[in-house]
Each structure stands twice: as structure tokens, then as C-alpha cells.
Amino acid sequence: MLCEKTFYELSLLSYFDTYAVNIPVSDMIRHIQEDEQLMQDYGQYPDFQNNMELVRQINPDEYAHMTVKEWYNDNADSGVVYYTFEMEDALIFAFRGSEKLDDVHHKTGWQDWKDNFRMFLKDPTWQQILTLHQIQKTDIQKPFYMCGHSKGGNLAMYAAIRETSLHQQIRKVFNFDGPGFRETFYAHYECSGILSRIVTYLPQGSIIGRLLEHREATVVIEARESGLSQHDAFCWSVGCDDFILAEGLSEESDKVQDYIQRVLL
């Protein structure tokens, strides 16, 4: 059964490269859980340690009904990476968020941050254009979901809003603490027909997820740590199937948001 936790976990998995396609997602999860080379390469980074801890908590058997249909990897050029997972009756597109500079293989990271800065100056960004183009090229014959953490959530929302010909097939879009859009975006594109199927999940101390403008529904969840540390999904409180809800956004989050609006935007 699909639940909030499903899309949260698939968004997390999008940060890992796959070793094959047309395999059960359960096999992909086990491969990541058992890949010692990953720990040798990236084990010194706290963010990676947290992500691995979350992956180790995933029960692979819960994903035996799902396959890795496609993996789009343009990380070396644009930074855009996403998976297409397939079930019998639906597809799920899971988009990778921004990555830190890769100090091991020196291939990724700079593309993401160059694109992120552009978000505040002009829209659309190159990653948004490429994501939309790839979705438009895809022969989608089933209803589908979209999800992503951070910039991955922004890309999911962008493609969902822009490609109006697919609105009837979209079941829901899950944005996990990803930024919104400039006001000019909403002025240019009609999105009233799809907004009811988009939801943004914010940790109670969210900073990244409150950047720019959001017009979709938001859900605030309990999280450990504070400030930017809460952007790490490792800090979020998750129950058996769904998130543990918070009463509202923290005072710290509100103060940072007010400062950004007054000084930076």
C-alpha cells in the first residue's frame, strides 16, 4: 500500500545510483544496503552516513511489487537525475535533489548549485527545462505520482504544473522540503487544476522548503535538530506509514523566512 513513507523513501533512494534497470526495487535496496564500496568512498560525510542509516531501515520486501523501469542520469552535465519506478497500475517519478560537491570523483555538485542560484534571478532554470523536456518525451500510459526531496521536489512540481496534457494522469505530487517558485511563474502558468494534488512537507524548522512562493497545500512534520540541519530527512519523525505532525512551524523558521523576504528577495 502506498503511503507518505513510500514516497519519502523513494525520494531518498533517488540519491543513490542504480546498478541495473528492469529489476525489483527490493533488489536495488538490498544492493545499496550491502555495497561496501559506497561506505569506503563516502562514509566520511555525515550526510551520507545519515542517508545510509535511513536506507538500512527500509524493508526491501515492501518494494518487491515495484520495478526500476528507467534511470535518467545527466548528473555530469546538468545535474538532473531521476528514477521511474513501475507498479502494475501506476508509475512513480522520483527526482534527486541537490548534491554537495563530490570530493571523491569530482563529477557532481557544481551543476546543482549553479542552477539553484539561478532560481532566485530568473525562471525557468536549466534543470527545470530539462526535466520538463524529458517528461514530455516519455510515453506515459499509466497514472503516475511524482516525488522528490529539496530541488528534486521543486523539479517534480515544475514538471507537474507545466505539462498540462498529463494533468489527468497525475495522482499526486510529493515535495519534501523543496523550494517553491517566483511570483512570475504563477503569473505565467495556469496551475489551479493541479494544485490540489500537490503537497509540500516541511520540517517544523524549515528554511529551504520555505524559499520562494508556495501555493500548494503544506504539511508540517516534527523533526530533530534545528535550522538548516532539519533539511536532512534523517531528522524527520516518521511513524509506521506516515509522518508525525507538528503543531506548526517554529519561531526560528518564521524569523529566518522574514529575514529572507525583507533582505534577499
Side-chain angles (χ1 to χ4, degrees):
M1 181 183 69
L2 298 179
C3 58
E4 291 175 343
K5 187 177 180 182
T6 305
F7 298 97
Y8 163 78
E9 291 178 341
L10 292 177
S11 297
L12 172 66
L13 289 175
S14 74
Y15 283 100
F16 293 86
D17 295 347
T18 187
Y19 69 98
V21 294
N22 297 318
I23 59 170
V25 176
S26 54
D27 287 359
M28 173 185 169
I29 294 170
R30 291 189 179 94
H31 180 81
I32 296 171
Q33 292 172 336
E34 298 168 1
D35 191 341
E36 297 181 0
Q37 188 62 48
L38 281 174
M39 289 303 299
Q40 292 178 16
D41 285 349
Y42 301 105
Q44 70 270 32
Y45 300 110
D47 288 351
F48 179 81
Q49 294 174 15
N50 291 343
N51 284 346
M52 279 301 298
E53 179 62 27
L54 289 174
V55 171
R56 291 191 182 106
Q57 295 174 17
I58 298 175
N59 179 4
D61 293 337
E62 294 181 358
Y63 293 89
H65 68 293
M66 195 180 297
T67 61
V68 181
K69 179 179 175 61
E70 293 180 2
W71 181 47
Y72 180 78
N73 179 17
D74 194 48
N75 216 359
D77 291 326
S78 68
V80 173
V81 181
Y82 67 88
Y83 281 94
T84 307
F85 300 112
E86 185 171 30
M87 300 175 293
E88 183 177 354
D89 63 342
L91 300 174
I92 300 174
F93 295 91
F95 297 87
R96 181 180 297 185
S98 300
E99 299 177 274
K100 291 186 176 180
L101 294 176
D102 182 359
D103 294 332
V104 178
H105 300 295
H106 307 288
K107 293 181 179 179
T108 63
W110 62 268
Q111 307 94 325
D112 294 326
W113 294 100
K114 181 179 179 181
D115 200 81
N116 291 345
F117 286 122
R118 182 181 171 90
M119 289 178 64
F120 295 92
L121 304 174
K122 186 178 181 179
D123 47 50
T125 71
W126 172 240
Q127 288 189 348
Q128 291 170 341
I129 293 171
L130 180 58
T131 299
L132 176 62
H133 178 64
Q134 288 302 125
I135 294 300
Q136 290 172 332
K137 287 171 53 179
T138 303
D139 183 20
I140 303 176
Q141 298 295 329
K142 296 181 178 181
F144 64 94
Y145 302 85
M146 289 179 158
C147 63
H149 168 257
S150 191
K151 185 62 172 295
N154 174 272
L155 296 178
M157 292 194 297
Y158 182 85
I161 291 172
R162 285 291 317 275
E163 191 46 49
T164 56
S165 67
L166 295 174
H167 280 186
Q168 289 186 338
Q169 291 174 261
I170 297 175
R171 288 183 174 175
K172 198 164 186 179
V173 180
F174 298 80
N175 170 34
F176 297 109
D177 206 32
F181 303 99
R182 288 156 45 90
E183 290 186 6
T184 53
F185 173 81
Y186 293 105
H188 283 125
Y189 304 112
E190 172 57 42
C191 54
S192 59
I194 190 66
L195 282 181
S196 63
R197 282 169 281 161
I198 300 176
V199 60
T200 288
Y201 293 83
L202 302 174
Q204 58 197 114
S206 176
I207 295 175
I208 303 299
R210 298 187 70 184
L211 294 174
L212 302 175
E213 184 173 346
H214 289 272
R215 295 190 180 179
E216 73 283 358
T218 59
V219 175
V220 182
I221 58 180
E222 288 189 0
R224 304 182 302 276
E225 306 299 334
S226 62
L228 280 172
S229 296
Q230 285 196 11
H231 189 56
D232 188 340
F234 181 76
C235 300
W236 301 358
S237 299
V238 187
C240 294
D241 295 317
D242 299 317
F243 292 107
I244 298 173
L245 303 185
E247 293 184 0
L249 291 160
S250 68
E251 182 179 352
E252 179 185 20
S253 175
D254 287 339
K255 287 181 178 178
V256 173
Q257 171 71 0
D258 180 66
Y259 177 82
I260 291 174
Q261 292 294 333
R262 287 188 294 106
V263 179
L264 301 180
L265 300 179

